[in-house]
C-alpha cells in the first residue's frame, strides 16, 4: 500500500520504517530540512535501538523515502498518517496546531480518496476538527474529494520502539466507517499474525484510550513514589513492599518501580493535557492532579536528599551524575528528572560531572559550555574526585560498576540512587554511604 507519514520524529520515523519493512511504499514528510537531508543520507537523528538497520535497509530497497515536499506526500499515500508533535500549551492543554496544519495541507493537495490517520496524541474531538479543516479547504478549492478521518494512537515506548511497533500489544483504530476498518486490517495484518490485535472502536473512544493508558501508567508511578516517601518516614523498605504487593496478580509487578519521577515527551504532557481537557468540559480530574503534583515533587527528591546531607551547603561540591535521559535506551531529554537535578545543583553552587551513554550531544545543545558542567566520556571518568555520585537514569552499564575503583577515585564514597539499582547491604560492604528511594529512614 502507499503510505505517507507527516512528521519524522520518534513516532513518525518508526512508523514509516516499520510499515516499509512489511512491504509498503512509504513517503515520510517533515518540515525540518536538516532532518530530512540527514534521513535521505540514511542517518537517523535519534537514538533508538534497531531503527538504523530498518531505515537503511528500506531506503536501499526503495520502499522508504523522505521529503519536505508536502504535495508529493499528499499525492503519494492512500493512508495519510499525522505523526507530528503535540507539545503542551502554557496552561498544559495539548497544542494541536501542527496537526491542524497538516490537515490543511492534505485539504490543499488531495484529489482522490484518502484515509487520514491521527497518530499523534490528541484531545478527544480532534478527528472531528481535522475533518472540518479538510472540508473547509476543499470547499475553498471548490472540489469534492472523498476522505475519511480516523484515530490510530501510538503506544510504542522509546527505547523499545521498533519491537513495540513490530509486535504490538494492541492496535487501536477509531473509525466511523467499515471501509477504513478493512483497509487498516490489510495494513496491519503483518503485525498481528499470531492473534488478532486490532481493536476497532468509535473515534472518540480511541482518542481517549491513548490518554487513559498514559494516565494510568503515570498513576502507578506516582502511587509508588508516594508510598516510597511514606516508607522513609517509618523506616520501611519500598523494595520489600514492591515485592509484597506485586505478588498479588490484581496488582502485578509491572510498572511499580519507585524512582525520581517520570519524565519524557508523553506522560507529563499527556497527564496535564487530560486534566485540562476535562476541565474545559467542567470536570475536575482530582486524581490526575495529584499524580502530576506528586511527580513534580518527586523530581526534587534527589536534590533534597543531597542538600540535606550537606546541611544545605553545596557550594563547590562536585557531584557526579550518571544518566541524563528520561529513561535508558533513548537520547530523549524531554522533561527528564536530570534537568531538575542539574538546575537545582547549579543554583546551590555545586559543580556537575555528568555521564550519559548517548545524550552528550543533546545535553550540549541544551546547556552549551558552562564552567559548572563537565561531560565525561565514561562513567568512571565522571566520578573522579567527586564528593558524591547520583544515579538518575538506570542504563544497563551502571548495574555493576567497578565499586572498588570508584571508591578509590571519588573524593568521598557517597551514592544517591534515584532508581534503586543497588542494594544497601552491598553498598555498605563496598564501603559506600548509600541512599536510595524509600529504603529505610529518611536522611
Ligand atoms: N515519543 C513517544 O514515545 C510517543 C509515543 C506515543 C505517542 N507519541 C505522540 O506522537 C506524536 C509525535 O511525537 P514524537 O515524539 O514523534 O514527536 P517529535 O517531536 O519527535 O517529532 C515530531 C516531528 O514532526 C515534524 N513536524 C511538525 N510539523 C510538521 C508538518 N506540518 N509537516 C511535517 N512534519 C512536521 C517536526 O519537525 C518533527 O520532526 C505526539 O503527539 C506524541 O505525544 C509519542
Amino acid at each position: 500500500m502507499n503510505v505517507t507519514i507527516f512528521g519524522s520524529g520518534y513516532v513518525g520515523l518508526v512508523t514509516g520504517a516499520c510499515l516499509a519493512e512489511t512491504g509498503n511504499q512509504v513517503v515520510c514528510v517533515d518540515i525540518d530540512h536538516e532532518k530530512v537531508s540527514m534521513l535521505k543520507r540514511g542517518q537517523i537523528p535519534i537514538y533508538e535501538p534497531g531503527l538504523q538497520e530498518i531505515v537503511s535497509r528500506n531506503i536501499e530497497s526503495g520502499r522508504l523515502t523522505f521529503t519536505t515536499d508536502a504535495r508529493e506526500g499528499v499525492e503519494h499515500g492512500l493512508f495519510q498518517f499525522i505523526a507530528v508533535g503535540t507539545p503542551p500549551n502554557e496552561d498544559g492543554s495539548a497544542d494541536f496546531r501542527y496537526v491542524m496544519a497538516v490537515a490543511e495541507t492534505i485539504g490543499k493537495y488531495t484529489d482522490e480518496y484518502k484515509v487520514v490517520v491521527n497518530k499523534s496524541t490528541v484531545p478527544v474531538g480532534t478527528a472531528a476538527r481535522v475533518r472540518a479543516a479538510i472540508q473547509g479547504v476543499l470547499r475553498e478549492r471548490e472540489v469534492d474529494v472523498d476522505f475519511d478521518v480516523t484515530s490510530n494512537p501510538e503506544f510504542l515506548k522509546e527505547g523499545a520502539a521498533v519491537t513495540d511497533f513490530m509486535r504490538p500489544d494492541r492496535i487501536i483504530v477509531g473509525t466511523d466507517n467499515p471501509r477504513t476498518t478493512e483497509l487498516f486490517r490489510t495494513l496491519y495484518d503483518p503485525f498481528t499474525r499470531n492473534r488478532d490485535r486490532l481493536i476497532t472502536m468509535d473515534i472518540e473512544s480511541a482518542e481517549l484510550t491513548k490518554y487513559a493508558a498514559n494516565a494510568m501508567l503515570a498513576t502507578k508511578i506516582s502511587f509508588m513514589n508516594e508510598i516510597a516517601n511514606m516508607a522513609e518516614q517509618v523506616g520501611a523498605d519500598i523494595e520489600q513492599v514492591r515485592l509484597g504487593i506485586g505478588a498479588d496478580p490484581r496488582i502485578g509487578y509491572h510498572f511499580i518501580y519507585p524512582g525520581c519521577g517520570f519524565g519524557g515527551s508523553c506522560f507529563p504532557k499527556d497527564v496535564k493535557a487530560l486534566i485540562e481537557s476535562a476541565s474545559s468540559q467542567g470536570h475536575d480530574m482530582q486524581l490526575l492532579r495529584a499524580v502530576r503534583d506528586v511527580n513534580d515533587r518527586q523530581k526534587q527528591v534527589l536534590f533534597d536528599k543531597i542538600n540535606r546531607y550537606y546541611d544545605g551547603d553545596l557550594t563547590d561540591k562536585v557531584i557526579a551524575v550518571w544518566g541524563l535521559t528520561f529513561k535508558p535506551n533513548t537520547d530523549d531529554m524531554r522533561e527528564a528528572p536530570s534537568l531538575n537535578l542539574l538546575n537545582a545543583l547549579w543554583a546551590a553552587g555545586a559543580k556537575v560531572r555528568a555521564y550519559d551513554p548517548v545524550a552528550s550531544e543533546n545535553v550540549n545543545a541544551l546547556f552549551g559550555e558552562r564552567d559548572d558542567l563537565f561531560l565525561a566520556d565514561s562513567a568512571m571518568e565522571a566520578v573522579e574526585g567527586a564528593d558524591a555520585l547520583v544515579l538518575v537514569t538506570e542504563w544497563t552499564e551502571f548495574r555493576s560498576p567497578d565499586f572498588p575503583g570508584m571508591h578509590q577515585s571519588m573524593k568521598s564514597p557517597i551514592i544517591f540512587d534515584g532508581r534503586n539499582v543497588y542494594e544497601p547491604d552491598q553498598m555498605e560492604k563496598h564501603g559506600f554511604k548509600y541512599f536510595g528511594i524509600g529504603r529505610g529512614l529518611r536522611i
Side-chain angles (χ1 to χ4, degrees), residues 56-374:
S56 304
R57 191 164 48 236
N58 285 283
I59 290 177
E60 217 159 278
S61 71
R63 284 195 298 268
L64 181 62
T65 56
F66 298 93
T67 183
T68 51
D69 183 350
R71 177 196 282 266
E72 183 191 330
V74 177
E75 284 173 357
H76 171 78
L78 163 63
F79 283 96
Q80 300 278 315
F81 279 84
I82 307 179
V84 297
T86 45
N89 285 313
E90 207 127 282
D91 64 359
S93 61
D95 175 355
F96 46 87
R97 87 178 89 149
Y98 304 105
V99 172
M100 298 312 292
V102 177
E104 285 180 16
T105 305
I106 294 171
K108 194 164 157 195
Y109 296 124
T110 182
D111 54 13
E112 59 184 347
Y113 174 68
K114 305 284 177 194
V115 183
V116 179
V117 188
N118 277 346
K119 194 161 252 320
S120 299
T121 304
V122 286
V124 176
T126 304
R129 289 188 197 101
V130 165
R131 185 181 298 119
I134 297 174
Q135 256 155 3
V137 181
L138 290 175
R139 255 197 311 275
E140 275 169 30
R141 285 175 58 202
E142 297 180 359
V143 291
D144 184 17
V145 183
D146 195 12
F147 68 95
D148 284 308
V149 179
T150 58
S151 164
N152 172 218
E154 183 49 58
F155 297 94
L156 61 76
K157 302 183 286 294
E158 285 178 26
V162 172
T163 324
D164 284 348
F165 198 95
M166 296 306 276
R167 287 194 230 142
D169 300 321
R170 78 298 212 186
I171 297 167
I172 302 287
V173 171
T175 177
D176 54 6
N177 183 329
R179 83 177 143 177
T180 52
T181 307
E182 280 319 301
L183 289 169
F184 272 109
R185 280 203 188 283
T186 311
L187 183 70
Y188 283 129
D189 187 52
F191 304 92
T192 63
R193 294 211 79 90
N194 65 349
R195 72 175 162 86
D196 189 8
R197 285 149 202 261
L198 197 118
I199 304 173
T200 53
M201 56 181 75
D202 64 86
I203 295 171
E204 289 74 17
S205 302
E207 290 174 330
L208 188 56
T209 297
K210 174 63 194 176
Y211 279 107
N214 276 358
M216 169 65 99
L217 293 169
T219 302
K220 288 180 96 170
I221 299 175
S222 275
F223 174 83
M224 282 310 280
N225 286 336
E226 191 85 296
I227 302 288
N229 295 335
M230 168 72 182
E232 288 184 13
Q233 299 296 332
V234 296
D237 180 358
I238 189 66
E239 290 304 321
Q240 303 295 320
V241 177
R242 179 174 68 76
L243 295 175
I245 63 170
D248 182 336
R250 292 170 304 174
I251 298 174
Y253 288 110
H254 289 298
F255 234 73
I256 54 167
Y257 294 96
C260 49
F262 58 76
S265 69
C266 292
F267 289 179
K269 102 172 153 56
D270 292 350
V271 167
K272 285 177 197 156
L274 190 49
I275 294 169
E276 276 312 308
S277 106
S279 145
S280 71
Q281 302 292 321
H283 179 66
D284 179 15
M285 285 265 184
Q286 247 179 309
L287 176 64
L288 292 184
R289 279 196 290 112
V291 168
R292 175 200 61 195
D293 295 346
V294 166
N295 192 56
D296 288 346
R297 201 176 59 201
Q298 198 68 12
K299 284 180 160 181
Q300 298 303 326
V301 156
L302 279 174
F303 175 77
D304 290 346
K305 282 177 190 286
I306 301 164
N307 199 36
R308 272 198 304 272
Y309 182 83
Y310 289 108
D311 293 326
D313 184 9
L314 283 165
T315 319
D316 291 331
K317 287 278 180 283
V318 176
I319 309 295
V321 176
W322 279 2
L324 298 168
T325 52
F326 85 94
K327 68 173 181 179
N329 294 322
T330 179
D331 60 350
D332 200 340
M333 294 287 299
R334 289 179 281 187
E335 305 258 349
S338 66
L339 301 175
N340 302 62
L341 177 68
L342 261 49
N343 284 319
L345 287 172
W346 288 329
K351 293 187 162 57
V352 172
R353 292 174 68 84
Y355 168 69
D356 185 281
V358 302
S360 299
E361 217 174 286
N362 288 349
V363 174
N364 269 327
L366 274 174
F367 296 116
E369 289 270 314
R370 44 187 300 165
D371 293 344
D372 47 10
L373 173 65
F374 170 73

Side-chain angles (χ1 to χ4, degrees), residues 412-428:
S412 33
I414 305 170
I415 297 180
F416 295 89
D417 181 354
R419 302 290 174 179
N420 290 353
V421 171
Y422 308 126
E423 277 306 313
D425 295 352
Q426 286 294 320
M427 291 299 98
E428 204 181 317

